[in-house]
Amino acid sequence: MFWQMVKGAVLRQGRQLLFVALTVALGVSLATAMLNVMFDVGDKVNQELKAFGANITVTSKNASILKDIYGLEEGSAPKEYLLEEDVGKLKTIFWTNNIVAFSPHLTGSIKLENGETVALTGTWFDHYMKLPTGEEFSTGEQYMKSWWQIDGAWPTEKDTDAVLVGKALAQKLKVKTGDELAYAKQDGGRSFFKIAGVVSGGGEEENQIVAQLPAVQEALGLPGKIDTINVSAMTTPENELARRAAANPKSLSLKEYEIWYCTSYVSSIAFQIEEVIQNSVARPVRQIAESEGRILDKTQLLMLLITILSLLSATMGVSNLVSANIMERSRELGLLKAIGATDRSVVVLVLTEIFMAGLIGGVAGYFAGLGFAQIIGHAVFGSGIAVNMMVIPLLIVLLILMLLLGSLPAIRSLLGLHPAIVLHGR
């Protein structure tokens, strides 16, 4: 009998319930899109921010101590080096998938044939490597310095003598793409660099020659040596635990240490890098790491606020529609009460109708929201948004709350409905 009454009410009130379903669908679709984007935005934003360079710098332990404790700058003490063969170990740490790019560097100076002494940096531009895990990986400055403007072309690994010359240095030396630079090697020999391009990036590279790492190692007489590694890693915004660990990991309890070590904080990734690169100190570039955290927090907060506002709007829409529906059906509902229906049974009848419409709208809104999420992903990040299954139970809870809150004004008026007054048209 109850379901026959529900069926009859749905058929008679089909238009009104359709509007309820559409209102719910709009709210749920926007909430679905925002929640899926919010859960996936961390990786997307981090990936976008990698274009701004490294957020971890690795140097030799002794060089770091000399600078931090004694205030000695580079060149004022014997230089310590890392080993190029250890660079691949970066991809063996616990957070290996968070290491998106890295590039080793070896810096020094050379004397050109014209007597000019210029700064020289050796690095990888687009380096293919086979990792200790057996995986294949490509990395280098092309993946780290996407903002560099190259007048010419990036050097390739096959052309070991190809270099980039900083724009300011090129103007000073009066050279251009395609020219050759003769220089004296450490063993007294003479060699050439071929200018593949002129680089402009607004940093140190403007006054440097940026060359292939093997060529610089040979020119400086330092085979297999590097002095720094720049690392670009996807990280989690730091909190009080991460800051305490960065100051002194030994100050943490065993449980806190496990949480910190197994969370992709920039400090925990740096700590794990030190574990695999011998004689190294890994330091987060705080300005970049903190900026990433703040941008990610604000982006996620924006998504959450949009979700809340969309659901509140849908709740208000449902409330108005249901209240109007109850007013239109006041005689019908009053008659039900007059023939013996209790307040509880009438409320259950009305809520069943609303929840049926809400369920249909919620399902339609969920799938529409998945489509909106993909549109947002491709428009903003250039890639799709991962479908997060955690969103479904969250949306179910939010949908129930939305329908209950939206029905409260109607239920209150329903409980105050007096059959005698309504049936007499007052």
Side-chain angles (χ1 to χ4, degrees):
M1 180 67 179
F2 175 79
W3 291 110
Q4 288 180 345
M5 293 176 65
V6 171
K7 180 181 177 181
V10 169
L11 292 175
R12 290 192 304 273
Q13 305 295 322
R15 184 178 178 184
Q16 290 86 342
L17 293 178
L18 177 62
F19 285 135
V20 172
L22 288 174
T23 303
V24 171
L26 288 173
V28 171
S29 64
L30 190 54
T32 300
M34 290 299 102
L35 288 173
N36 276 286
V37 172
M38 187 180 73
F39 283 120
D40 196 38
V41 76
D43 289 346
K44 303 293 184 186
V45 170
N46 269 302
Q47 194 66 42
E48 291 292 322
L49 289 173
K50 293 311 107 185
F52 295 101
N55 53 1
I56 299 175
T57 301
V58 186
T59 59
S60 69
K61 187 175 294 184
N62 290 342
S64 177
I65 291 173
L66 288 171
K67 182 176 181 179
D68 293 345
I69 298 180
Y70 299 105
L72 296 177
E73 296 297 330
E74 186 176 345
S76 59
K79 197 168 184 179
E80 297 286 336
Y81 296 97
L82 300 172
L83 299 177
E84 183 185 359
E85 63 186 26
D86 288 339
V87 177
K89 294 178 181 178
L90 288 168
K91 293 292 286 183
T92 64
I93 66 171
F94 180 80
W95 290 106
T96 179
N97 291 330
N98 286 56
I99 305 291
V100 295
F102 49 84
S103 60
H105 290 260
L106 177 63
T107 58
S109 61
I110 56 172
K111 192 170 185 179
L112 300 179
E113 193 175 44
N114 61 4
E116 187 87 28
T117 299
V118 298
L120 178 67
T121 294
T123 187
W124 295 341
F125 291 106
D126 185 5
H127 181 70
Y128 166 84
M129 61 189 307
K130 197 162 187 178
L131 303 175
T133 58
E135 297 176 293
E136 298 174 346
F137 187 68
S138 292
T139 187
E141 291 293 86
Q142 285 187 235
Y143 303 89
M144 301 280 291
K145 305 288 179 65
S146 60
W147 69 88
W148 276 8
Q149 296 179 6
I150 310 296
D151 181 9
W154 286 92
T156 61
E157 285 206 324
K158 294 179 180 179
D159 193 355
T160 57
D161 293 329
V163 300
L164 296 177
V165 177
K167 185 177 181 180
L169 181 59
Q171 292 173 348
K172 181 180 178 181
L173 298 177
K174 297 180 180 179
V175 294
K176 61 184 184 303
T177 300
D179 291 347
E180 291 186 344
L181 291 172
Y183 66 93
K185 297 196 294 185
Q186 290 291 321
D187 59 9
R190 184 170 175 271
S191 189
F192 293 89
F193 281 140
K194 184 177 179 180
I195 303 175
V198 176
V199 59
S200 176
E204 295 177 342
E205 69 283 345
E206 294 269 358
N207 294 288
Q208 292 179 340
I209 295 175
V210 186
Q212 305 278 9
L213 182 58
V216 175
Q217 289 170 338
E218 181 183 356
L220 300 179
L222 297 169
K225 300 293 181 64
I226 56 175
D227 49 32
T228 59
I229 308 171
N230 290 336
V231 182
S232 182
M234 293 189 294
T235 60
T236 297
E238 293 203 321
N239 54 16
E240 183 59 29
L241 173 64
R243 285 186 281 272
R244 284 171 50 206
N248 183 14
K250 294 182 180 179
S251 66
L252 304 179
S253 66
L254 181 59
K255 184 177 181 180
E256 289 175 330
Y257 181 85
E258 289 178 350
I259 294 173
W260 170 71
Y261 193 90
C262 296
T263 305
S264 57
Y265 299 121
V266 67
S267 55
S268 65
I269 293 177
F271 181 79
Q272 292 172 35
I273 289 173
E274 292 179 1
E275 291 181 319
V276 298
I277 305 292
Q278 59 176 324
N279 192 38
S280 70
V281 172
R283 295 288 177 85
V285 181
R286 287 293 170 189
Q287 295 92 332
I288 295 178
E290 291 175 5
S291 295
E292 289 176 356
R294 286 195 295 268
I295 292 171
L296 182 57
D297 284 343
K298 290 179 180 179
T299 303
Q300 291 179 326
L301 178 61
L302 176 62
M303 299 293 178
L304 185 60
L305 288 175
I306 293 174
T307 300
I308 293 172
L309 290 174
S310 67
L311 291 176
L312 285 176
S313 299
T315 301
M316 293 175 63
V318 169
S319 177
N320 291 332
L321 289 168
V322 175
S323 296
N325 181 258
I326 294 299
M327 291 179 63
E328 290 179 6
R329 300 171 60 193
S330 57
R331 288 194 175 188
E332 173 193 339
L333 298 173
L335 181 60
L336 286 175
K337 282 190 174 185
I339 61 178
T342 62
D343 284 340
R344 179 181 176 182
S345 60
V346 175
V347 169
V348 170
L349 174 65
V350 172
L351 285 179
T352 301
E353 298 169 10
I354 296 170
F355 271 79
M356 288 177 64
L359 178 61
I360 294 171
V363 172
Y366 174 75
F367 287 104
L370 293 181
F372 291 152
Q374 300 310 312
I375 293 173
I376 293 171
H378 285 286
V380 178
F381 302 109
S383 61
I385 298 295
V387 178
N388 195 312
M389 301 308 293
M390 288 177 58
V391 171
I392 296 177
L394 185 57
L395 283 173
I396 292 173
V397 173
L398 292 174
L399 176 62
I400 292 172
L401 289 175
M402 179 174 66
L403 294 175
L404 287 175
L405 289 174
S407 303
L408 280 178
I411 291 173
R412 287 182 60 185
S413 64
L414 189 59
L415 293 175
L417 192 69
H418 297 289
I421 296 175
V422 173
L423 293 175
H424 280 85
R426 288 179 286 171

